Each structure stands twice: as C-alpha cells, then as structure tokens.
Amino acid sequence: MRGEAPRPEAGPAERAVRTACPYCGVGCGVLATPDGRGGATIAGDPAHPANLGRLCSKGAALGETLGLGSRVLHPLRRNATSGYDRVSWDSVLDAVADGLRAIIARDGPEAVAFYLSGQLLTEDYYVANKLMKGFIGSPHVDTNSRLCMSSTVAGHRRVFGSDTVPGRYEDLDEADLIVLVGSNTAWCHPVLFQRLQRNRAERGARVVVIDPRVTATADGADMVLAIKPGSDAVLFAGLLVHLAANGLTDAHYLADHVSGYEAALENARQIAPNIASVASRTGLTPAVVAGFYELWGATPAVVTAWSQGVNQSAQGTDKVAAILHCHLATGRIGQPGCGPFSLTGQPNAMGGREVGGLANMLAAHMGYAPAEIDRVRRFWNAPRMAQAEGLKAVAMMEAVEARRIHALWVMATNPAVSLPRADRVRAALGRLDLFIVSENVLSNDTLSAKPHFILPAAAWGEKDGTVTNSERRISRQRAFLPLPGEVRPDWWILCEVARRLGFGDAFAYAGPGDIYAEHAALSAFENDGSRDFDIGAHAGLSKRDYDALEPVQWPVPAGRPLGTSRLFAQGGFFTADGRARMVPLAVPALANATSDAFPMLLNTGRVRDHWHTMTRSGLSPRLGAHIAEPTVQVNPADAARIGLSDGGFARIGNAFGAVVLKVALDVGVQPGSLFAPIHWSAETASQARIGAAVQADCDPFSGQPEMKATPSSIASVAYASQGFVLSRDGFALPEGSWWAKLAVAGGQGQLFATDSGPAELMGAIRSAFGEDGLTEMVDLDGGTYRCAVLREGRLVAAIFLAPFGRLPLWDTVKRAFADPAAVPDNRLALLAGRSLDGAADPGPTVCACFGVGLSAIRAAFAGGATSPEEIGQQLKAGTNCGSCLPEIRRIGAQARATVAA
C-alpha cells in the first residue's frame, strides 16, 4: 500500500503559479514555484487582497508537505483478510457503482450518504451534491463544516434570510473598534490578526477580546472579557438592552429594514435586565461590562468578529443572532469599518455552503421549499430530486450506527477523529455494508475502520478549481504539480461513478471550468436578485477566462463582473419582505452542567502550528516543533487542588470516552475549565483522540455540536520514566507506553512516558536494530538509558530514557539527527546531549516561520533587546505571520522580571 513512487517527471523549474492556501478560511493567496523535482518553493502572493503577501507559519511551511511517502497513489480494494489489493480504476469504479446500485435497490436511496469536507474544491462539492441530491435522490449529504460554521449559517439565514457575510477584510483596516468573540485569532487566523494589529498601531483602533480562555489573542487587546463558558448570548442581549436604553439605536434603519425588534428587545430584557444581572451571569465585574457597553455604543465603526467559541455550541445559532441583533439595531452593517464578521475555519467551507454541501440546503443557497426543489430539478433535469432536508453530521453517524444508513462515501476528511464520540463513530464506520473513502493519505483513523474501497484523490498542489474565503471572495486554487501515480481529482471520480450509474450525460464535464460555469449558471437561474448567491457573470466563462480568474467577492451577477464589496447598508435582505428578522433567543445555558462525577468543563480547539488531524501539517518538522505533544491546559489552582504537576500527565474522562494528556499549567484557563487540542489522532499519539471525549449535544437549528464545554473529570497519571526516540523509519515502544509522534528533520520523533525500565528498552532496541553500530550509556540502578545506532558511520536512531522529570531536552540530539550525512565522531558527547559542532542549543522552537528557538530569544533579550521589534531585527522571529509575537513578549517580560529581581 505504501506510496513510495516519485512524482511524474515535472521538468525544469517553472514560473510561479498563483494559487490559494489549503488551510484556514482567510483564503491567502500563494505563489508556488515548482522546483522541477516534485516540490515547490512557497511565498505569499502580494497581489492577493486576502493576505497582501503574508502567510502564517502553516502556509509558509507548505513546501514541506508535498512529498509522496504518506500518499495513496492507486485504487485499493479490501480483501478477505482485511488487507488491501491494488486494483484498476475501471474495476474499483464498477464495484463502487454496483455497490451503490444494490443498496439503493434493496433499501432505497436514503440508505446512502456522503460526508464531505471544507477541504474539497467548489467544483468537487458541486458534483457530489448534484449526484446525490438530484440523481441518486438522497438528501443525506453533509460536511465537516457542520462542526465548524453551521451555527453561523443558521444565524445568518434566520436573521438575514440568507447565509451572507456582509463585509470584507478591509473593514478590519478601517474599524475603530474590533471585538473578537470566541476566537483565538492570533493563532487561528494570524494573517487577519496582524492586519487588525496594524490598524491598532497605526490608527489607534481598540481591540476587545471576549473568551472564557485568556489566549495569545488577549496579548494584543485593549480589553479582555473572560466570560463564563456559554454566556456569550447574555452579554450581547445586555448590549442590546444598553443600546436601547441609551438612545444608541438607529430608528430609521430599524423602521425601514428590520422586523421583530420590539419582541427581540423584550426578550433581551428578560435575559439581561441590567448590568448587575449580566455581570453575575457572565462572571465579569459590573465595571467591565459597563465599560464594554459604553465603548461599543460610542464607536460607530465597529466590527464584531467570531469563530468557533461562538459556533461550537448547543446554542450557537442564538449566539450568532445576538451579535447580529446589535449591529442591526444600530445600523452598523455593510458600511466601511463596521459590521458582523464570521471568521471561517476551513479554506472552502463557504464554497461548500454555496453548492449545498450542508444537509439542510440545496445548491446555490437554495433550501427545500417546494419551489426551490422544483427549480433545481428543472435546471439539472434531475430524475430523482431529494424532497426534504437530510441528516446533519452527528445525526448521520447515529444513523450509520443504527444501520439506517448502509452506504457511506467519505471525502477528504477524518470523521473517526473529528466528530464527537469519535470511538463510537469509528466502530460504526466499520460495520457499514459499503464504505468508500476518497483520500490522499495512506493511513488515518478513518481508514483504520477498514473501508471497502480507498480511492486516491488529488491533494493540494495537484487540485484545480475554486475556493471561497470568509469574506465571500472566490479564488482559483491552481495545480502546479502533476498528478502522481493513478491519483485523480474528486470531481472526476464522482463523474465516473455517475456515468456507471446511468447518469453520464449530466456529468460529462471536460474539466473543472465546465463545472464552475454550470454552478454559476444555476446561481443566476430564476434569480433576478431574489437570492444572495449569484455569480451569473461567470456562467459563460471560457476555459481561458476560468484559468485566469482573479479573486472576486460574490455576488457577481451578470453585468457586474467586479463583484460586490459589502451588503445590507441600505437593507435589501433576502427575506420575503426584504427586512431582516430579529427573533427572541432561548434562555442561555450550557448543554450539560457539571456534576460531582464530572466537575470540569472540557474545551477543545486548535493550537498555533497544527491543522485539523495533522495529515498535512504533521508532515512538516518545523510545524511540529512548537507544540510537540498533546496537552491539557489546567489552571494552577485546580492543578494544586487535584494534585497535577506541570509536565506530568492526566486522564480526562467522561461519559463518552477518555484521553491521557500531558499537563500544562496556564493561568489563562479559568478555574473549573480544561483546554485540549483537537489535532492528535491514533496515528500520532497513544491516547489523545480528544473527539472520543466530546459530547454530541447539538444546536437544534444548526446541528452543530457543543465541543467547548463537555463535563469531565481529571486525575493524575504517573509514569516511572520518560524519554524520546529519533529514528529514520519509526520505532515500536514497549506495550503500555504513552507516546506522541511527530516529523523531525531526517525522520520521525517520539516523545514518550513509560513504566518500562532500561532493560526493556535495551531489548527493544536490539530487536529493532541489532547490536552492530550500537553505542550505549546505561545506569540500571538510576533508571537511565541512552543509545545511538549508527550504520556506515551515520546516525539512524537515538533513544534517551530517564526517571520522570529528569530527561534532557532533545533539541541538540535532533540537530545531530537532522543531517543524514553527518558522522558523529564523538558518540559519547552525543549521548551526553552536548552539541557536536559547538553551536548553542537553540531550545524549544518559538518562531516556526524562521526556526528561532527559546534560547536565542532569551540571549537576545539578555544582550540588550527591549522589544519584539528588536528581536525581529536581530533574529527575524515574529516578522512573518506574527503568531509568535505574544510568546516573544512574554519571554521579554520574564527577562525584565529576572533582571529586576
């Protein structure tokens, strides 16, 4: 199964190709210059309006993720022994079509489902939805965007009548106040964060951060509101009450463009009657609440931006609506420097929404009203249109578990890690009658559920199509590398299956440009301004014009090819009467309260340099260097009470599952709360699948699960020893060890903890490598073991084991390991952890963009540097994406405190 073949001959190095980043929803433009050897150099595109040349650490490291060692390169079919055989495309496509046809004949079309991804291109998404909802006849198409932005979609549709982001990124440059709600923007959207920080520095804009957790984003804020988990809607209901009580609403805008204001205001008064009530329910002081309300009310140019802290909630739709209500009440929408702004998590979550990628939507932002079903049916000439909304992600997997869905096709996502109750999801996937996965990696947790067919799909760099970012901007994601092996684009795979099902005429696309043109034509079909999504100006694009398409914000109706910057300044909402609708909110509350058994609230989210389940970012050594292990962040007071130590281990458990994570003390985490990252899987860690310990309670409107507040317990876990392994091809640790795996320069690294001693490790190393070229330092009584394995004078493996708490940092050994051609003459110096070339130990990585370590930054501050700007001048740290600047500031503050002491 391994994909070791080189890429097809790429020819000499070529000119830069303008494409788009495959990570978050900022949608940064990228210049990728193929090097002629299957790789590429990566730079930000200064002409792209989303990023103006900047890239974050992940985007800058994309060149490190283009190798083929972890790729699926050929179609695979499961055999009788649960292994896989390589088969031809004709064979696998025939088998997939036959399997789908048989299940539809036996159980009906609604026994079939697709689970898609915000990593797909719009063209892939469009074909998948068309095939399923118009030709197979099942509505059960959903996407991992359900876990990301669906509460925003539901909030937009409830209030605006459409899933429309009113503003654009330039509003972050022009606002006088930027409010960030439930968003660690400094780490999760660093390019945008640096943009608003420039506004703060150059124009004096104020920044307010609202988040239960004090994150790196708070370092760049003028006011931080560390609210109680789940109390966002209380805070914004109180803001609406304050605006009304102080004459700060826009009576003309409300009268002309909004309905339901009086009922919404009365509801807000019941939820948040006064500042004292808001303070009590949010955990803030009355002075802080009043200060925020006065600042928001007095600043017309205000942007309120939010992300997963708002969306991933059983009341996420209400939270979004509460924010929208405040902007509508003041008319602060659709004008330069003001408006509500959803920060999207994935590169094409919005593109998927445009084509109906969510189970409750049809293509082109249409729903399931009879007239809309008929309109799409006629446009597609569809023989079997879905007639009602389908199952959303969590409900879909429950239907798989209950065997109401018998066939599932997963594309470009890893639901066995990312969905709530992930262990149950993985088990249910393994019981499907027909399980198909389109994937570009060779191994992940979803593939471990043993699909019947694995279809090799194109990856970033090979894909060709479009994506839409958080500001409604459509950009081309262009291929700059040839397709390796037998890899094919997702749209092609879907069209070939459609042809075998008898629908060939409707899926006879010559390329992605044809698909996009049809998508554009449907958006304009019987529209006449009645629907927000209209890109009719692109319906007749030639292949040449499609290839040259410049980034543009929709709507792009016929006759308006330059697109639309902002919406709703003069009303024009996409409701029956053209008015926005303000609707009363439910009483704000968490889905589940803590208890004696589960007294802590588990919050989950992203860290700075990783992405989703690390199938791409995990290939980059520099991205793994900042946070190398899965941790649980705990308030020091809770840790002292429970008996946890910084750098120790803890088991987090609840009614759904359990994980064991390394403990990191963090005063930014509220007492009674925990924070754990989402990225580690069974592929990359022994016991860190955080989705297994997340509740599945969902918002009743959006279907988005509450992933920010799962009642849990936490208890200390002790190991006798800890260590690290560096190897070229991996190394099996003793049974029962805790481990985390990551890419390092030259091979693979593992950080581990274990109750096994030196004798067991000595046996394991001999079993794996033999005794030739083995150099050891052993202290059986002291519990210390270190070894280096050389082949032909080259270092191929190193293992260090020590009693818990006494392990040296591995940075020096990693440097020696990084160069496969280096010959370590002084093996004892290597085993002592000393530098072989006299270079200073860089320490843990702080700046991933330029590989700058903690030791270098501390030395620069000790040498007289006084600010992050001076660190940037000396070391370049913090001068690219800026996401390490909060950490650099903290290092500087510690240095000054040390000098003062």
Side-chain angles (χ1 to χ4, degrees), residues 181 193 359 500 692:
V181 192
F193 187 70
R500 285 163 170 81

Side-chain angles (χ1 to χ4, degrees), residues 21 321 340 493 805:
C21 180
I493 299 170

Side-chain angles (χ1 to χ4, degrees), residues 100-114 131-133 135-141 359 368 373 384-392 395-400 402-408 432:
L100 291 170
R101 187 182 295 109
I103 288 173
I104 292 166
R106 184 189 73 191
D107 303 306
E110 293 204 24
V112 178
F114 288 175
L131 173 60
M132 192 61 141
K133 293 178 180 175
F135 289 77
I136 290 175
S138 171
H140 303 321
V141 178
Y368 276 92
I373 295 171
R384 190 183 289 165
M385 275 297 297
Q387 296 298 305
E389 294 183 4
L391 296 173
K392 302 176 178 75
M396 180 186 288
M397 295 305 161
E398 289 172 346
V400 170
R403 297 190 58 76
R404 298 193 305 275
I405 287 177
H406 296 280
L408 179 68
L432 282 158

Side-chain angles (χ1 to χ4, degrees), residues 55-80:
L55 291 177
C56 73
S57 57
K58 293 184 289 291
L62 278 166
E64 298 178 18
T65 69
L66 299 175
L68 298 179
S70 62
R71 290 290 300 279
V72 179
L73 297 177
H74 306 282
L76 301 171
R77 181 172 188 160
R78 196 177 81 190
N79 58 35

